[in-house]
Structure formats: C-alpha cells, structure tokens
C-alpha cells in the first residue's frame, strides 16, 4: 500500500468521528506509521466520569491512510473486568499508550502508564502484538530502574534504538531510559533530567541532529503552559527554550495538554502536534487538538488555527 497525501480539514477541538460515525476515543494517544497506514492508539474513555476519573475500558486503535478518515480497529488492549487484582481491572489507571515496531523481532510493542486509582503504583506497562491492529498481549508492569513512572512516551530513533521518557520522583523529575533491543524492558538507571521541574506529558521529535521535547506542567486535567527543550543527545543535557505555542490561548497550550508529535511519512520536516483538551467533568468528551508544528533555526512554533488543511503542512517531499 502507498501512502496517500494527507489532505482535508482539521478543526481542533471539534467532535471527531470515525468512518462509522462514532466519536473517536483515543485520548493521551500516539501514532505509529506502518506499511501505508497511520495507527492511532489512545485511551478509550467512553464511560462515566466520577470524581475525576473514569474506569479503564482499554486502548483503542484507529487506522487511516490519509490522517482524515479513521477506521475503528477496536479495543486492541481491553480492560480485565473479571479479576479485581489485575493491573488492567477497570478500577485501575491505564494512560498514554504508545506503540513502536521492532523490525528485528517483528513485534509491535505498546508502552503505557499503569497505575492504581490513587496514582501510587506509578509504573510503566508493556504489551505486545504481532499485528499493529492487535490484539495486544499484556506482559505486566514495573518501575523502570526502580523509580516511579507516570506520564510517559516511547521514542524510536533512526538507528532503531528506543527510549522511554517518563515523569518520575512524584512527577518532579523526568527520566530517560534506553530500552533493551527487544523494546520490552529498560536498561540501566536512566538519565535524570529536568530535576525538580515538575514536567509531564512528554512528546518528542528529532529534526536533523537535534531532539525536541515538549512537556506540560503538572495541573491534573487542567491545562497549563507548554514548554520545550532541545538536546544533541536524547539522554541530555536538555536546554529549556520556552513556550512553543502562539496565538489564542497559547498560555494554556490552547486549553490542552500535549501527547505526541507526529512526523509525516515521506515529508521530512512536516510535523503535527497532538494534544488533548481534557474535559474533567466528562472525560469521554475530551477533544483532540492537532496543529502544525514547525521547526526552524532550532525553534519550535505551534500556532493556533481554528481550521487548517493537512496538505499545507509543508516539509520537503521525498
Ligand atoms: C495529567 C496527566 O498528564 C494525565 O495523563 C492524567 O494522568 C491526569 N494528570 C490525571 O489528573
């Protein structure tokens, strides 16, 4: 299958539907491009919000050739309602799933934040599948290098090395761990970065030889100002640059919180900033904010637009 040029209007913050007309449930999401299709994984929050949370339903997956029309691939990692002690029981927490593909083993590896409802467990969970559309088999969770792990992302570098970036030490510090070659575990004790900075929701991208990391502050479901940092080495040191956002509501990341930076396939330099506009009263109705992300002269800018077209993303065509 060949990739279709992404085209069509994006209206950040509106209700987005899949090809069957159902509202897309893929919060705290991430994207994987594989053999002509984009796979969008995220938290299915299509339940009742009670006291700032809703029960775990599982990880949803949607696929699309053009980033505009999304086919629901179903819940690829479902909750386990029958066993109250299971880490995927609906009373627990499963957030920010991200999937990377291990070419050597042929496995699609999902990493996610696994927690108890009081967020005290603070672990990273891992699941695997032989297909991008699942089903994923849950392997379990652990504290990487023995430290807490809450908001997280995984990043696969151009040399196939992969990394876990996670908020740790009660969210005060961000750790970066290199994964094992099979992507199933972390190695070593990690790089301790952003010490006492209280950053979460990491979203990372590489452009040229530089890594760029956007994070949020720690204000629960309420939005705050994003900040980005740059580094020559993913393990650090990271240099904080400031708020990448501009335009209306730039001080609250457009009333949202980042989750992923999507590089467009076959268009070097074209990126989409993906964020969640959480609705803490009704988490199922949280909306998606996608905006063009531009990197120029070492600087990121994400400018607010009510509506934009995917075909205008720029970048150079391969
Ligand atoms: C902020 C995190 O980024 C979200 O993923 C979620 O854990 C909320 N906090 C819960 O309040």
């Amino acid at each position: 299958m060949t990739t279709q040029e992404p085209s069509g209007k994006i209206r950040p913050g509106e209700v987005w539907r899949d090809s069957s007309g159902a509202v897309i449930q893929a919060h705290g999401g991430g994207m994987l491009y594989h053999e002509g299709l984009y796979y969008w994984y995220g938290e299915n929050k299509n339940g009742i919000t009670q006291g700032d949370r809703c029960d775990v339903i599982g990880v949803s997956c949607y696929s699309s050739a053009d980033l505009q029309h999304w086919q629901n691939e179903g819940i690829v990692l479902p909750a386990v309602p029958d066993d109250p002690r299971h880490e995927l029981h609906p009373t627990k927490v499963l957030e920010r799933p991200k999937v990377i593909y291990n070419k050597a083993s042929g496995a699609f590896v999902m990493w996610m934040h696994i927690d108890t409802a009081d967020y005290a467990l603070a672990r990273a969970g891992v699941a695997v599948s032989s297909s991008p559309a699942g089903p994923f088999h849950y392997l379990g969770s652990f504290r990487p290098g023995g430290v807490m792990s809450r908001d997280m992302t995984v990043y696969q570098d151009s040399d196939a090395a992969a990394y876990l970036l996670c908020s740790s030490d009660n969210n005060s510090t961000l750790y970066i761990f290199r994964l094992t070659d099979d992507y199933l575990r972390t190695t070593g004790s990690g790089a301790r970065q952003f010490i006492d900075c209280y950053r979460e929701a990491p979203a990372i991208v590489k452009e040229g030889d530089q890594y760029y990391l956007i994070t949020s502050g720690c204000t629960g479901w309420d939005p705050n100002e994003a900040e980005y940092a740059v580094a020559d080495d993913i393990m650090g040191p990271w240099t904080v640059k400031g708020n990448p956002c501009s335009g209306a509501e730039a001080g609250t990341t457009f009333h949202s919180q980042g989750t992923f930076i999507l590089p467009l396939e076959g268009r070097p330099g074209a990126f989409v900033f993906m964020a969640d506009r959480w609705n803490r009263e009704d988490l199922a109705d949280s909306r998606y904010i996608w905006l063009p992300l531009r990197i120029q002269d070492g600087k990121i800018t994400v400018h607010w637009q009510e509506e934009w077209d995917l075909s205008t993303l720029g970048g150079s065509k391969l």
Side-chain angles (χ1 to χ4, degrees):
M1 188 179 294
T2 51
T3 316
Q4 285 174 29
E5 275 297 295
S7 64
K9 300 274 185 236
I10 297 282
R11 294 183 188 86
E14 299 222 335
V15 174
W16 292 6
R17 296 179 187 277
D18 65 19
S19 49
S20 78
V23 174
I24 293 178
Q25 286 290 330
H27 311 283
M31 203 79 82
L32 170 76
Y33 179 84
H34 188 74
E35 293 182 352
L37 290 178
Y38 292 93
Y39 292 87
W40 179 7
Y41 304 90
E43 303 157 33
N44 186 316
K45 289 188 144 6
N46 199 15
I48 296 162
T49 303
Q50 268 177 321
D52 247 22
R53 75 180 300 284
C54 68
D55 279 358
V56 175
I57 295 170
V59 177
S60 300
C61 174
Y62 298 83
S63 63
S64 174
D66 59 7
L67 293 174
Q68 182 76 14
H69 302 93
W70 291 98
Q71 180 175 319
N72 188 356
E73 301 285 353
I75 298 180
V76 294
L77 181 68
V80 180
D82 296 342
D83 179 0
R85 288 162 312 169
H86 199 283
E87 291 179 349
L88 303 185
H89 188 260
T91 55
K92 308 288 173 75
V93 167
L94 190 177
E95 291 177 343
R96 299 187 176 273
K98 306 284 177 283
V99 176
I100 48 178
Y101 175 58
N102 191 307
K103 213 172 171 182
S105 69
F108 295 85
V109 183
M110 180 187 293
W111 284 73
M112 69 210 95
H113 172 195
I114 290 292
D115 228 317
T116 39
D118 60 2
Y119 287 89
L121 192 69
R123 289 195 191 181
V126 183
V128 286
S129 176
S130 55
S131 152
F136 280 80
H137 169 65
Y138 187 63
L139 298 179
S141 74
F142 63 98
R143 284 189 168 186
V147 302
M148 297 170 100
S149 176
R150 290 198 184 121
D151 275 13
M152 44 63 62
T153 195
V154 282
Y155 179 71
Q156 186 182 43
D157 214 335
S158 38
D159 62 358
Y163 300 84
L164 170 74
L165 295 89
C166 60
S167 296
S168 187
D169 301 346
N170 260 324
N171 295 344
S172 66
T173 301
L174 212 123
Y175 273 76
I176 302 145
F177 293 92
R178 182 164 174 171
L179 302 186
T180 50
D181 288 348
D182 59 9
Y183 299 170
L184 300 181
R185 305 288 295 185
T186 52
T187 61
S189 50
R192 221 173 148 233
Q193 299 288 313
F194 302 90
I195 297 166
D196 291 333
C197 292
Y198 288 90
R199 308 306 302 171
E200 54 183 11
I204 184 169
V205 77
K206 188 180 183 182
E207 165 72 341
D209 288 336
Q210 282 233 299
Y211 297 88
Y212 296 82
L213 177 67
I214 298 181
T215 57
S216 75
C218 297
T219 52
W221 299 117
D222 296 332
N224 55 59
E225 187 170 292
E227 182 182 276
Y228 78 101
V230 298
D232 297 329
D233 184 333
I234 193 168
M235 302 301 265
W238 286 87
T239 306
V240 173
K241 292 288 187 182
N243 185 359
C245 302
S246 62
E249 288 223 58
T252 60
T253 321
F254 322 113
H255 206 100
S256 72
Q257 182 185 32
T259 184
F260 198 73
I261 301 169
L262 169 67
L264 242 61
E265 185 62 24
R267 285 265 213 111
F271 306 103
V272 179
F273 176 61
M274 294 168 57
D276 297 285
R277 183 172 283 174
W278 301 115
N279 178 347
R280 60 184 300 170
E281 309 292 326
D282 181 7
L283 288 163
D285 188 36
S286 301
R287 306 286 174 82
Y288 310 105
I289 304 296
W290 288 11
L291 289 165
L293 181 152
R294 299 186 205 285
I295 302 179
Q296 218 169 12
D297 304 326
K299 288 192 185 125
I300 297 188
T301 45
V302 182
H303 189 71
W304 173 253
Q305 291 173 67
E306 295 278 343
E307 181 182 287
W308 58 282
D309 199 297
L310 280 160
S311 63
T312 62
L313 257 183
S316 49
K317 276 193 193 174
L318 279 185

